[in-house]
Amino acid sequence: MTRALSLKTLPQDLPAGVVVFLVAIPLCLGISLASGAPPLSGLIAGIVGGIVVSLFSGSSLSVSGPAAGLTVIVLGAVEQIGLSGLFMATVLAGAMQLVFGFLRLGKIGAFVPSAVIKGMLAAIGLILILNQIPLALGLSQDSDASLLDIEALMKGLSPVALVIAAVTLAILISWEQPFMPAAIKRFPGPLMAVLVAIAMDRLALSAGWPGALDAGQRISLPGLGGPGDFIGQLQLPVLNALLEPQVYMTAVTLALVASLETLLSLEAVDKIDPLKRHSPPHRELKAQGIGNMVSGLVGGLPITAVIVRSSANVQAGGRTRLASFVHGILLLCSVAFVASALEFIPLACLAAVLIHTGYKLARPATILAHYHQGWQRFVPFAVTVIAIMVTNLLQGVIIGFLCGLYFLVRANYHSSVSFTRHDRYALLRFHTDVSFLNRDKVRYYLDEIADGSHLIIDAREAGFIDPDIQEDIDNFVYSSHERDIVVELKQVNGMTASYPALRNSSSDRDREAIPIAEPGRA
Protein backbone atom coordinates (compact mmCIF):
# COMPACT_ATOMS: atom_id res chain seq x y z
CA MET A 1 0.00 0.00 0.00
CA THR A 2 2.89 2.34 0.59
CA ARG A 3 6.52 2.82 -0.20
CA ALA A 4 9.14 3.51 2.43
CA LEU A 5 10.16 7.08 3.09
CA SER A 6 13.34 8.07 1.26
CA LEU A 7 16.17 10.04 2.84
CA LYS A 8 17.29 11.46 -0.51
CA THR A 9 15.34 14.67 0.07
CA LEU A 10 16.32 15.04 3.74
CA PRO A 11 18.19 18.35 3.16
CA GLN A 12 14.90 19.91 1.97
CA ASP A 13 12.42 17.97 4.12
CA LEU A 14 14.19 18.33 7.47
CA PRO A 15 13.99 22.15 7.71
CA ALA A 16 10.45 22.05 6.25
CA GLY A 17 9.44 19.54 8.93
CA VAL A 18 10.81 21.84 11.63
CA VAL A 19 8.75 24.75 10.29
CA VAL A 20 5.58 22.64 10.14
CA PHE A 21 6.24 21.47 13.71
CA LEU A 22 6.50 25.07 14.92
CA VAL A 23 3.24 25.96 13.18
CA ALA A 24 1.49 22.81 14.41
CA ILE A 25 2.10 23.25 18.15
CA PRO A 26 -0.16 26.28 18.69
CA LEU A 27 -2.76 24.89 16.27
CA CYS A 28 -2.91 21.46 17.96
CA LEU A 29 -3.25 23.10 21.37
CA GLY A 30 -5.75 25.69 20.16
CA ILE A 31 -7.98 23.17 18.40
CA SER A 32 -8.03 21.03 21.55
CA LEU A 33 -9.07 24.13 23.45
CA ALA A 34 -11.88 24.90 21.00
CA SER A 35 -13.02 21.27 21.03
CA GLY A 36 -13.42 21.07 24.79
CA ALA A 37 -10.84 18.29 24.94
CA PRO A 38 -7.59 18.01 26.93
CA PRO A 39 -4.60 19.69 25.21
CA LEU A 40 -2.81 16.34 25.15
CA SER A 41 -5.50 14.90 22.85
CA GLY A 42 -4.75 17.53 20.23
CA LEU A 43 -1.02 16.90 20.46
CA ILE A 44 -1.57 13.14 20.13
CA ALA A 45 -3.66 13.74 17.02
CA GLY A 46 -0.84 15.85 15.57
CA ILE A 47 1.69 13.11 16.35
CA VAL A 48 -0.46 10.42 14.71
CA GLY A 49 -1.17 12.64 11.71
CA GLY A 50 2.54 13.26 11.24
CA ILE A 51 3.89 9.76 11.82
CA VAL A 52 1.15 7.26 10.96
CA VAL A 53 -0.66 9.03 8.09
CA SER A 54 2.65 9.96 6.45
CA LEU A 55 3.58 6.28 6.24
CA PHE A 56 0.44 5.38 4.28
CA SER A 57 -0.43 8.59 2.42
CA GLY A 58 0.14 9.03 -1.29
CA SER A 59 0.42 12.81 -1.01
CA SER A 60 3.93 14.25 -1.05
CA LEU A 61 3.18 17.55 0.69
CA SER A 62 -0.09 17.13 2.61
CA VAL A 63 0.13 17.32 6.40
CA SER A 64 -2.49 15.77 8.70
CA GLY A 65 -3.55 16.59 12.22
CA PRO A 66 -6.46 17.94 14.29
CA ALA A 67 -8.55 20.28 12.16
CA ALA A 68 -10.48 23.44 12.95
CA GLY A 69 -13.23 22.14 10.67
CA LEU A 70 -14.04 19.36 13.13
CA THR A 71 -14.17 21.45 16.32
CA VAL A 72 -17.95 21.88 16.19
CA ILE A 73 -18.51 18.12 15.91
CA VAL A 74 -15.94 17.27 18.57
CA LEU A 75 -17.24 19.87 21.01
CA GLY A 76 -20.78 18.53 20.69
CA ALA A 77 -19.56 14.95 21.04
CA VAL A 78 -17.58 15.69 24.20
CA GLU A 79 -20.67 17.25 25.76
CA GLN A 80 -23.02 14.42 24.73
CA ILE A 81 -20.98 11.20 24.92
CA GLY A 82 -17.83 12.23 26.79
CA LEU A 83 -14.20 11.74 25.82
CA SER A 84 -14.34 7.95 25.82
CA GLY A 85 -17.33 8.06 23.49
CA LEU A 86 -15.51 10.52 21.22
CA PHE A 87 -12.47 8.25 21.02
CA MET A 88 -14.63 5.28 20.06
CA ALA A 89 -16.47 7.39 17.46
CA THR A 90 -13.08 8.40 16.04
CA VAL A 91 -12.07 4.74 15.70
CA LEU A 92 -15.36 3.92 13.95
CA ALA A 93 -15.01 6.96 11.68
CA GLY A 94 -11.53 5.79 10.71
CA ALA A 95 -12.89 2.34 9.86
CA MET A 96 -15.54 3.97 7.65
CA GLN A 97 -12.89 6.05 5.87
CA LEU A 98 -10.87 2.91 5.26
CA VAL A 99 -13.94 1.33 3.66
CA PHE A 100 -14.49 4.52 1.61
CA GLY A 101 -10.97 4.17 0.29
CA PHE A 102 -11.36 0.51 -0.70
CA LEU A 103 -14.68 1.37 -2.37
CA ARG A 104 -12.81 4.07 -4.31
CA LEU A 105 -15.01 6.88 -3.06
CA GLY A 106 -12.23 9.46 -3.20
CA LYS A 107 -14.29 11.49 -5.67
CA ILE A 108 -17.23 12.04 -3.30
CA GLY A 109 -16.16 15.65 -2.79
CA ALA A 110 -17.00 16.38 -6.41
CA PHE A 111 -20.67 15.57 -5.77
CA VAL A 112 -21.12 18.17 -3.03
CA PRO A 113 -21.72 21.71 -4.35
CA SER A 114 -18.74 23.95 -3.62
CA ALA A 115 -21.13 26.60 -2.23
CA VAL A 116 -22.24 24.11 0.43
CA ILE A 117 -18.66 23.16 1.33
CA LYS A 118 -17.59 26.79 1.59
CA GLY A 119 -20.72 27.54 3.60
CA MET A 120 -19.78 24.73 5.98
CA LEU A 121 -16.27 26.16 6.41
CA ALA A 122 -17.65 29.69 6.88
CA ALA A 123 -20.06 28.49 9.57
CA ILE A 124 -17.25 26.70 11.36
CA GLY A 125 -15.20 29.89 11.18
CA LEU A 126 -17.99 31.94 12.74
CA ILE A 127 -18.51 29.39 15.51
CA LEU A 128 -14.77 29.38 16.22
CA ILE A 129 -14.72 33.16 16.54
CA LEU A 130 -17.76 33.29 18.81
CA ASN A 131 -16.48 30.49 21.06
CA GLN A 132 -13.00 31.97 21.47
CA ILE A 133 -13.92 35.58 22.30
CA PRO A 134 -14.42 34.84 26.04
CA LEU A 135 -10.96 33.23 26.27
CA ALA A 136 -9.42 36.14 24.40
CA LEU A 137 -10.94 38.45 27.01
CA GLY A 138 -9.24 36.49 29.79
CA LEU A 139 -11.91 34.10 31.03
CA SER A 140 -10.68 30.67 32.08
CA GLN A 141 -11.38 27.55 30.07
CA ASP A 142 -13.83 26.32 32.72
CA SER A 143 -15.97 29.45 32.49
CA ASP A 144 -19.43 28.95 30.99
CA ALA A 145 -20.07 32.64 30.30
CA SER A 146 -21.61 33.33 26.91
CA LEU A 147 -21.30 36.37 24.69
CA LEU A 148 -24.76 37.45 25.81
CA ASP A 149 -23.72 37.47 29.44
CA ILE A 150 -22.09 40.91 29.39
CA GLU A 151 -21.84 41.12 33.17
CA ALA A 152 -19.88 37.85 33.43
CA LEU A 153 -17.61 38.86 30.55
CA MET A 154 -16.78 42.20 32.15
CA LYS A 155 -16.24 40.59 35.53
CA GLY A 156 -13.76 38.07 34.11
CA LEU A 157 -12.05 40.55 31.78
CA SER A 158 -8.25 40.57 32.07
CA PRO A 159 -6.44 43.56 30.51
CA VAL A 160 -3.28 41.48 30.14
CA ALA A 161 -5.13 38.67 28.32
CA LEU A 162 -6.89 41.19 26.08
CA VAL A 163 -3.58 42.84 25.15
CA ILE A 164 -1.97 39.44 24.48
CA ALA A 165 -4.84 38.47 22.21
CA ALA A 166 -4.68 41.80 20.36
CA VAL A 167 -0.91 41.58 19.86
CA THR A 168 -1.24 37.96 18.68
CA LEU A 169 -3.82 38.97 16.09
CA ALA A 170 -1.65 41.89 14.98
CA ILE A 171 1.33 39.58 14.45
CA LEU A 172 -0.70 36.99 12.53
CA ILE A 173 -2.26 39.65 10.29
CA SER A 174 1.06 41.41 9.70
CA TRP A 175 2.71 38.14 8.67
CA GLU A 176 0.31 37.91 5.72
CA GLN A 177 0.87 41.44 4.45
CA PRO A 178 3.13 42.21 1.46
CA PHE A 179 5.06 44.89 3.38
CA MET A 180 6.51 42.27 5.74
CA PRO A 181 10.08 41.36 4.61
CA ALA A 182 10.39 37.85 3.22
CA ALA A 183 13.33 37.08 5.51
CA ILE A 184 11.16 37.72 8.58
CA LYS A 185 8.20 35.79 7.18
CA ARG A 186 10.38 32.69 6.95
CA PHE A 187 9.89 32.44 10.71
CA PRO A 188 6.36 31.01 11.32
CA GLY A 189 3.87 33.69 12.35
CA PRO A 190 2.00 31.50 14.89
CA LEU A 191 5.25 30.63 16.64
CA MET A 192 6.32 34.27 16.78
CA ALA A 193 2.91 35.13 18.24
CA VAL A 194 3.29 32.43 20.90
CA LEU A 195 6.80 33.56 21.88
CA VAL A 196 5.72 37.20 22.15
CA ALA A 197 2.65 36.19 24.19
CA ILE A 198 4.79 34.17 26.61
CA ALA A 199 7.19 37.09 26.98
CA MET A 200 4.32 39.51 27.69
CA ASP A 201 2.82 37.12 30.24
CA ARG A 202 6.16 36.66 32.03
CA LEU A 203 6.74 40.44 32.06
CA ALA A 204 3.29 41.13 33.53
CA LEU A 205 3.80 38.44 36.17
CA SER A 206 7.27 39.62 37.22
CA ALA A 207 6.20 43.27 37.29
CA GLY A 208 3.15 42.46 39.38
CA TRP A 209 0.74 44.17 36.99
CA PRO A 210 -2.92 44.03 37.99
CA GLY A 211 -4.81 41.40 36.03
CA ALA A 212 -1.72 39.24 35.43
CA LEU A 213 -2.64 35.75 34.25
CA ASP A 214 -2.95 32.86 36.66
CA ALA A 215 -2.46 29.12 36.04
CA GLY A 216 -6.08 28.69 34.87
CA GLN A 217 -5.44 31.08 31.99
CA ARG A 218 -2.56 29.05 30.55
CA ILE A 219 -2.23 25.64 28.91
CA SER A 220 -2.26 22.80 31.42
CA LEU A 221 -0.44 19.49 30.77
CA PRO A 222 -0.21 17.99 34.24
CA GLY A 223 1.84 14.91 34.98
CA LEU A 224 4.01 14.92 31.87
CA GLY A 225 7.50 14.61 33.28
CA GLY A 226 8.92 12.25 30.67
CA PRO A 227 8.19 9.50 28.14
CA GLY A 228 6.85 7.16 30.81
CA ASP A 229 4.31 9.74 31.98
CA PHE A 230 3.27 10.37 28.37
CA ILE A 231 2.64 6.68 27.71
CA GLY A 232 0.80 6.39 31.02
CA GLN A 233 -1.64 9.15 30.03
CA LEU A 234 -2.70 7.56 26.74
CA GLN A 235 -6.42 6.78 26.95
CA LEU A 236 -8.14 3.82 25.35
CA PRO A 237 -11.76 4.02 24.19
CA VAL A 238 -14.28 2.28 26.40
CA LEU A 239 -16.08 -0.64 24.76
CA ASN A 240 -19.31 0.27 26.58
CA ALA A 241 -19.47 3.31 24.30
CA LEU A 242 -20.53 0.96 21.50
CA LEU A 243 -23.90 0.66 23.22
CA GLU A 244 -24.66 4.38 22.76
CA PRO A 245 -26.48 5.25 19.49
CA GLN A 246 -25.04 8.79 19.55
CA VAL A 247 -21.55 7.32 19.15
CA TYR A 248 -22.49 5.92 15.75
CA MET A 249 -24.11 9.18 14.65
CA THR A 250 -20.95 11.06 15.66
CA ALA A 251 -18.82 8.52 13.80
CA VAL A 252 -20.81 8.95 10.58
CA THR A 253 -20.59 12.74 10.87
CA LEU A 254 -16.85 12.63 11.52
CA ALA A 255 -16.22 10.21 8.64
CA LEU A 256 -18.14 12.32 6.11
CA VAL A 257 -16.88 15.74 7.16
CA ALA A 258 -13.28 14.60 7.72
CA SER A 259 -13.24 12.91 4.31
CA LEU A 260 -14.61 16.01 2.60
CA GLU A 261 -12.11 18.29 4.32
CA THR A 262 -9.25 15.92 3.49
CA LEU A 263 -10.18 15.75 -0.18
CA LEU A 264 -10.53 19.53 -0.39
CA SER A 265 -7.16 20.05 1.28
CA LEU A 266 -5.60 17.44 -1.00
CA GLU A 267 -6.86 19.25 -4.09
CA ALA A 268 -5.67 22.61 -2.77
CA VAL A 269 -2.18 21.31 -1.94
CA ASP A 270 -1.80 19.69 -5.36
CA LYS A 271 -2.49 23.09 -6.94
CA ILE A 272 0.39 24.75 -5.05
CA ASP A 273 2.82 21.84 -5.40
CA PRO A 274 5.86 23.22 -7.31
CA LEU A 275 6.32 19.82 -8.98
CA LYS A 276 2.61 19.62 -9.94
CA ARG A 277 2.13 16.09 -8.62
CA HIS A 278 -1.27 14.45 -8.29
CA SER A 279 -2.26 12.80 -5.02
CA PRO A 280 -4.43 9.65 -5.25
CA PRO A 281 -7.63 10.47 -3.31
CA HIS A 282 -8.67 6.84 -2.68
CA ARG A 283 -5.32 6.07 -1.09
CA GLU A 284 -5.53 9.22 1.01
CA LEU A 285 -8.88 8.12 2.43
CA LYS A 286 -7.29 4.80 3.45
CA ALA A 287 -4.39 6.64 5.12
CA GLN A 288 -6.75 8.97 6.97
CA GLY A 289 -8.84 6.01 8.06
CA ILE A 290 -5.81 4.25 9.54
CA GLY A 291 -4.73 7.49 11.19
CA ASN A 292 -8.11 8.10 12.81
CA MET A 293 -8.32 4.53 14.07
CA VAL A 294 -4.89 4.85 15.70
CA SER A 295 -5.65 8.34 17.06
CA GLY A 296 -8.91 7.19 18.64
CA LEU A 297 -7.27 4.12 20.14
CA VAL A 298 -4.65 6.19 21.99
CA GLY A 299 -6.81 9.13 23.07
CA GLY A 300 -6.31 11.58 20.22
CA LEU A 301 -8.74 13.88 18.45
CA PRO A 302 -10.03 13.09 14.94
CA ILE A 303 -7.65 14.12 12.18
CA THR A 304 -7.82 15.29 8.58
CA ALA A 305 -5.44 16.65 6.00
CA VAL A 306 -5.09 20.33 6.93
CA ILE A 307 -4.38 23.18 4.55
CA VAL A 308 -2.58 25.59 6.93
CA ARG A 309 0.17 23.15 7.91
CA SER A 310 0.33 21.77 4.36
CA SER A 311 0.80 25.29 2.96
CA ALA A 312 3.55 25.92 5.50
CA ASN A 313 5.21 22.72 4.28
CA VAL A 314 5.13 23.89 0.66
CA GLN A 315 6.39 27.39 1.51
CA ALA A 316 9.23 25.94 3.59
CA GLY A 317 10.49 23.89 0.64
CA GLY A 318 9.20 20.42 1.58
CA ARG A 319 9.53 17.83 -1.15
CA THR A 320 8.16 14.50 0.13
CA ARG A 321 6.16 12.88 2.94
CA LEU A 322 9.36 12.88 4.99
CA ALA A 323 8.72 16.51 6.02
CA SER A 324 5.36 15.59 7.58
CA PHE A 325 6.98 12.58 9.26
CA VAL A 326 9.70 14.80 10.75
CA HIS A 327 7.07 17.19 12.12
CA GLY A 328 5.31 14.25 13.81
CA ILE A 329 8.55 13.02 15.39
CA LEU A 330 9.30 16.51 16.72
CA LEU A 331 5.80 16.77 18.20
CA LEU A 332 6.31 13.43 19.93
CA CYS A 333 9.66 14.54 21.35
CA SER A 334 8.25 17.87 22.59
CA VAL A 335 5.38 16.18 24.43
CA ALA A 336 7.53 13.38 25.84
CA PHE A 337 10.48 15.50 26.99
CA VAL A 338 9.62 19.23 27.22
CA ALA A 339 5.87 19.30 27.92
CA SER A 340 6.43 21.70 30.83
CA ALA A 341 7.58 24.39 28.39
CA LEU A 342 4.21 24.26 26.64
CA GLU A 343 2.45 25.21 29.88
CA PHE A 344 3.79 28.77 29.55
CA ILE A 345 1.46 29.44 26.59
CA PRO A 346 -1.48 31.76 27.52
CA LEU A 347 -4.95 30.63 26.51
CA ALA A 348 -5.65 34.13 25.19
CA CYS A 349 -2.89 33.67 22.62
CA LEU A 350 -4.32 30.36 21.39
CA ALA A 351 -7.80 31.90 21.30
CA ALA A 352 -6.45 34.68 19.06
CA VAL A 353 -4.83 32.09 16.77
CA LEU A 354 -8.20 30.36 16.41
CA ILE A 355 -10.06 33.65 15.88
CA HIS A 356 -7.63 34.39 13.05
CA THR A 357 -8.20 30.90 11.62
CA GLY A 358 -11.96 31.37 11.90
CA TYR A 359 -11.76 34.71 10.11
CA LYS A 360 -9.92 33.12 7.20
CA LEU A 361 -12.66 30.50 6.93
CA ALA A 362 -15.45 33.10 7.03
CA ARG A 363 -13.78 36.13 5.50
CA PRO A 364 -16.22 38.74 4.09
CA ALA A 365 -14.62 38.43 0.64
CA THR A 366 -15.91 34.84 0.42
CA ILE A 367 -19.46 35.95 1.25
CA LEU A 368 -19.34 38.78 -1.30
CA ALA A 369 -17.92 36.49 -3.97
CA HIS A 370 -20.84 34.09 -3.61
CA TYR A 371 -23.30 37.00 -3.64
CA HIS A 372 -21.89 38.33 -6.91
CA GLN A 373 -22.03 34.84 -8.47
CA GLY A 374 -25.81 34.84 -8.32
CA TRP A 375 -28.61 33.49 -6.19
CA GLN A 376 -28.02 29.89 -7.30
CA ARG A 377 -24.63 30.08 -5.52
CA PHE A 378 -25.36 32.51 -2.71
CA VAL A 379 -28.58 30.94 -1.39
CA PRO A 380 -27.12 27.43 -0.80
CA PHE A 381 -24.07 29.07 0.78
CA ALA A 382 -26.16 31.24 3.13
CA VAL A 383 -28.62 28.44 3.94
CA THR A 384 -25.74 26.13 4.87
CA VAL A 385 -24.20 28.75 7.17
CA ILE A 386 -27.49 29.53 8.93
CA ALA A 387 -28.55 25.88 9.18
CA ILE A 388 -25.25 24.85 10.80
CA MET A 389 -25.40 27.76 13.24
CA VAL A 390 -28.99 26.87 14.22
CA THR A 391 -28.77 23.04 14.22
CA ASN A 392 -25.50 21.12 13.95
CA LEU A 393 -22.86 20.44 11.34
CA LEU A 394 -24.29 17.29 9.74
CA GLN A 395 -27.88 18.53 9.63
CA GLY A 396 -26.73 21.90 8.32
CA VAL A 397 -24.71 20.33 5.52
CA ILE A 398 -27.64 18.09 4.56
CA ILE A 399 -29.98 21.10 4.47
CA GLY A 400 -27.45 23.04 2.39
CA PHE A 401 -26.99 20.07 0.04
CA LEU A 402 -30.75 19.79 -0.51
CA CYS A 403 -30.91 23.53 -1.20
CA GLY A 404 -28.07 23.22 -3.71
CA LEU A 405 -29.81 20.22 -5.29
CA TYR A 406 -32.99 22.26 -5.67
CA PHE A 407 -31.16 24.97 -7.61
CA LEU A 408 -29.44 22.32 -9.74
CA VAL A 409 -32.77 20.69 -10.64
CA ARG A 410 -34.32 24.11 -11.20
CA ALA A 411 -31.53 25.17 -13.54
CA ASN A 412 -31.72 21.87 -15.40
CA TYR A 413 -35.50 22.18 -15.65
CA HIS A 414 -35.35 25.62 -17.22
CA SER A 415 -32.33 25.14 -19.49
CA SER A 416 -32.61 21.59 -20.80
CA VAL A 417 -35.63 22.19 -23.06
CA SER A 418 -36.44 25.19 -25.25
CA PHE A 419 -39.36 25.90 -27.58
CA THR A 420 -39.64 28.49 -30.35
CA ARG A 421 -42.42 29.09 -32.83
CA HIS A 422 -42.82 31.19 -35.97
CA ASP A 423 -46.02 31.08 -37.97
CA ARG A 424 -46.74 27.39 -38.55
CA TYR A 425 -43.16 26.30 -37.87
CA ALA A 426 -42.05 25.19 -34.39
CA LEU A 427 -38.76 23.95 -32.91
CA LEU A 428 -38.55 21.81 -29.76
CA ARG A 429 -34.89 21.47 -28.77
CA PHE A 430 -33.26 19.37 -26.04
CA HIS A 431 -30.04 21.10 -24.94
CA THR A 432 -28.92 18.32 -22.61
CA ASP A 433 -30.15 15.02 -21.19
CA VAL A 434 -33.85 15.15 -20.34
CA SER A 435 -35.37 13.25 -17.44
CA PHE A 436 -38.83 12.73 -16.00
CA LEU A 437 -38.45 16.18 -14.38
CA ASN A 438 -38.82 17.71 -17.85
CA ARG A 439 -41.86 15.65 -18.86
CA ASP A 440 -44.46 18.22 -17.86
CA LYS A 441 -42.71 20.96 -19.84
CA VAL A 442 -42.33 18.75 -22.95
CA ARG A 443 -46.01 17.82 -22.78
CA TYR A 444 -46.94 21.49 -22.47
CA TYR A 445 -44.93 22.42 -25.56
CA LEU A 446 -46.38 19.53 -27.57
CA ASP A 447 -49.88 20.66 -26.62
CA GLU A 448 -49.02 24.13 -27.97
CA ILE A 449 -48.52 22.77 -31.50
CA ALA A 450 -51.40 23.98 -33.67
CA ASP A 451 -53.02 21.92 -36.41
CA GLY A 452 -51.22 22.15 -39.75
CA SER A 453 -47.86 22.98 -38.15
CA HIS A 454 -44.38 21.75 -39.00
CA LEU A 455 -42.57 20.63 -35.81
CA ILE A 456 -38.86 19.89 -35.56
CA ILE A 457 -37.72 17.95 -32.48
CA ASP A 458 -33.95 18.42 -32.23
CA ALA A 459 -32.21 16.10 -29.73
CA ARG A 460 -28.69 16.22 -31.14
CA GLU A 461 -27.36 17.66 -27.87
CA ALA A 462 -29.14 15.12 -25.67
CA GLY A 463 -27.30 11.94 -24.81
CA PHE A 464 -30.29 10.52 -22.92
CA ILE A 465 -34.05 10.91 -23.24
CA ASP A 466 -36.22 9.53 -20.46
CA PRO A 467 -38.42 6.64 -21.71
CA ASP A 468 -41.55 8.45 -20.48
CA ILE A 469 -40.70 11.49 -22.63
CA GLN A 470 -39.85 9.22 -25.56
CA GLU A 471 -43.29 7.63 -25.18
CA ASP A 472 -44.94 11.06 -25.30
CA ILE A 473 -43.03 11.89 -28.49
CA ASP A 474 -43.95 8.56 -30.09
CA ASN A 475 -47.64 9.11 -29.27
CA PHE A 476 -47.50 12.62 -30.73
CA VAL A 477 -45.85 11.39 -33.93
CA TYR A 478 -48.33 8.51 -34.24
CA SER A 479 -51.33 10.86 -34.06
CA SER A 480 -49.80 13.81 -35.94
CA HIS A 481 -51.43 12.90 -39.27
CA GLU A 482 -54.86 13.37 -37.70
CA ARG A 483 -54.03 17.05 -37.10
CA ASP A 484 -52.18 17.62 -40.37
CA ILE A 485 -48.86 18.11 -38.52
CA VAL A 486 -45.47 17.36 -40.04
CA VAL A 487 -42.97 16.05 -37.48
CA GLU A 488 -39.25 16.08 -38.20
CA LEU A 489 -36.99 14.19 -35.77
CA LYS A 490 -33.28 14.91 -35.40
CA GLN A 491 -31.37 12.28 -33.40
CA VAL A 492 -34.29 11.46 -31.13
CA ASN A 493 -32.90 8.32 -29.52
CA GLY A 494 -30.78 7.84 -32.63
CA MET A 495 -33.63 8.38 -35.09
CA THR A 496 -33.45 11.03 -37.79
CA ALA A 497 -36.65 11.00 -39.86
CA SER A 498 -39.52 13.11 -41.15
CA TYR A 499 -43.18 12.15 -40.99
CA PRO A 500 -45.49 14.07 -43.42
CA ALA A 501 -49.11 14.46 -42.44
CA LEU A 502 -52.19 13.13 -44.23
CA ARG A 503 -53.37 15.41 -47.01
CA ASN A 504 -56.78 15.58 -48.62
CA SER A 505 -55.79 13.55 -51.69
CA SER A 506 -56.93 10.40 -53.43
CA SER A 507 -53.35 9.20 -53.68
CA ASP A 508 -52.52 6.27 -51.44
CA ARG A 509 -49.11 7.83 -50.87
CA ASP A 510 -50.73 10.91 -49.33
CA ARG A 511 -52.77 8.81 -46.94
CA GLU A 512 -49.75 7.29 -45.28
CA ALA A 513 -47.09 8.66 -42.97
CA ILE A 514 -44.02 8.03 -45.16
CA PRO A 515 -40.48 8.62 -43.85
CA ILE A 516 -38.71 10.89 -46.33
CA ALA A 517 -35.29 10.37 -44.80
CA GLU A 518 -33.69 7.03 -44.06
CA PRO A 519 -33.55 6.30 -40.32
CA GLY A 520 -30.03 6.89 -39.05
CA ARG A 521 -28.26 5.85 -35.89
CA ALA A 522 -26.34 8.46 -33.91
Side-chain angles (χ1 to χ4, degrees):
M1 182 176 177
T2 182
R3 293 176 293 178
L5 298 174
S6 173
L7 297 179
K8 293 180 180 179
T9 57
L10 186 61
Q12 294 84 23
D13 288 329
L14 180 59
V18 173
V19 170
V20 176
F21 158 70
L22 297 175
V23 172
I25 281 202
L27 289 174
C28 289
L29 293 171
I31 290 168
S32 297
L33 184 70
S35 302
L40 183 60
S41 293
L43 294 169
I44 291 173
I47 293 168
V48 173
I51 297 177
V52 177
V53 175
S54 295
L55 291 175
F56 295 94
S57 173
S59 175
S60 299
L61 297 175
S62 181
V63 179
S64 297
L70 299 180
T71 54
V72 178
I73 306 172
V74 175
L75 181 62
V78 171
E79 294 175 349
Q80 294 177 9
I81 56 180
L83 282 174
S84 60
L86 169 67
F87 298 149
M88 180 57 74
T90 302
V91 174
L92 295 176
M96 292 179 196
Q97 287 183 296
L98 195 58
V99 173
F100 292 166
F102 280 110
L103 292 178
R104 303 185 65 80
L105 298 180
K107 298 294 184 182
I108 57 175
F111 296 97
V112 181
S114 61
V116 174
I117 294 174
K118 292 179 180 178
M120 176 189 76
L121 296 176
I124 291 169
L126 291 174
I127 293 172
L128 270 179
I129 292 172
L130 295 175
N131 287 345
Q132 297 308 306
I133 288 177
L135 291 175
L137 295 177
L139 276 71
S140 67
Q141 190 173 3
D142 298 331
S143 173
D144 57 356
S146 67
L147 290 178
L148 300 178
D149 193 350
I150 304 299
E151 183 179 352
L153 291 177
M154 296 305 298
K155 184 178 180 180
L157 175 66
S158 167
V160 174
L162 185 58
V163 171
I164 287 175
V167 171
T168 299
L169 282 173
I171 292 174
L172 294 174
I173 294 172
S174 299
W175 241 247
E176 297 179 345
Q177 303 307 313
F179 61 75
M180 185 65 67
I184 297 178
K185 292 172 71 172
R186 288 182 180 275
F187 194 78
L191 179 63
M192 174 60 74
V194 166
L195 294 178
V196 171
I198 292 174
M200 293 175 63
D201 178 36
R202 295 293 99 184
L203 177 61
L205 194 62
S206 61
W209 291 352
L213 305 184
D214 56 32
Q217 295 168 309
R218 302 187 190 92
I219 284 293
S220 177
L221 293 168
L224 287 178
D229 294 333
F230 170 63
I231 295 174
Q233 290 203 28
L234 298 180
Q235 300 183 52
L236 296 175
V238 179
L239 292 179
N240 289 341
L242 292 173
L243 301 177
E244 298 186 42
Q246 187 61 36
V247 168
Y248 297 94
M249 180 60 68
T250 301
V252 171
T253 307
L254 284 173
L256 294 176
V257 176
S259 298
L260 281 175
E261 188 162 347
T262 289
L263 296 173
L264 289 172
S265 297
L266 205 65
E267 184 177 346
V269 173
D270 282 348
K271 289 181 180 179
I272 61 176
D273 181 1
L275 301 181
K276 302 303 178 184
R277 290 164 289 190
H278 175 69
S279 303
H282 312 305
R283 177 172 167 180
E284 189 62 29
L285 285 181
K286 296 176 188 177
Q288 295 293 327
I290 295 172
N292 271 314
M293 291 175 70
V294 173
S295 183
L297 285 172
V298 295
L301 295 180
I303 60 177
T304 74
V306 282
I307 189 61
V308 174
R309 276 152 277 184
S310 301
S311 300
N313 188 21
V314 175
Q315 294 166 5
R319 285 293 177 267
T320 70
R321 292 176 290 135
L322 183 60
S324 177
F325 186 81
V326 168
H327 122 272
I329 294 294
L330 293 175
L331 277 174
L332 175 61
C333 293
S334 68
V335 175
F337 297 102
V338 292
S340 58
L342 301 178
E343 295 186 318
F344 288 106
I345 302 176
L347 295 180
C349 171
L350 297 180
V353 171
L354 289 172
I355 289 174
H356 183 252
T357 302
Y359 173 80
K360 289 194 292 185
L361 292 175
R363 62 176 73 239
T366 302
I367 301 173
L368 290 176
H370 280 81
Y371 176 76
H372 291 306
Q373 289 169 359
W375 292 112
Q376 72 277 7
R377 294 269 294 173
F378 179 72
V379 172
F381 172 84
V383 167
T384 303
V385 172
I386 296 172
I388 290 175
M389 300 286 288
V390 172
T391 58
N392 57 51
L393 195 68
L394 182 59
Q395 292 181 15
V397 169
I398 292 174
I399 293 172
F401 178 80
L402 293 176
C403 180
L405 186 63
Y406 164 76
F407 277 91
L408 176 64
V409 171
R410 182 173 177 268
N412 178 268
Y413 178 80
H414 286 288
S415 63
S416 58
V417 180
S418 66
F419 179 74
T420 54
R421 182 170 52 192
H422 180 69
D423 293 335
R424 70 184 189 90
Y425 294 94
L427 171 62
L428 178 62
R429 176 174 290 172
F430 301 154
H431 297 281
T432 184
D433 297 349
V434 285
S435 68
F436 68 93
L437 296 174
N438 307 109
R439 189 179 188 187
D440 181 65
K441 178 175 283 191
V442 171
R443 281 182 169 180
Y444 173 78
Y445 289 147
L446 291 177
D447 290 341
E448 289 292 298
I449 306 300
D451 294 351
S453 297
H454 184 122
L455 171 65
I456 299 174
I457 302 179
D458 186 351
R460 288 175 294 183
E461 298 176 359
F464 169 79
I465 298 178
D466 188 275
D468 290 339
I469 294 179
Q470 182 63 48
E471 182 181 349
D472 291 337
I473 294 174
D474 291 342
N475 291 337
F476 184 87
V477 171
Y478 181 77
S479 60
S480 61
H481 67 281
E482 299 176 358
R483 299 174 56 197
D484 198 23
I485 297 175
V486 175
V487 182
E488 185 177 345
L489 306 180
K490 293 187 177 182
Q491 296 299 332
V492 178
N493 272 351
M495 178 69 70
T496 297
S498 181
Y499 297 90
L502 270 174
R503 305 291 182 184
N504 292 325
S505 170
S506 60
S507 169
D508 292 337
R509 178 175 56 83
D510 288 334
R511 286 191 289 269
E512 295 177 338
I514 304 174
I516 60 176
E518 288 296 327
R521 183 63 57 181

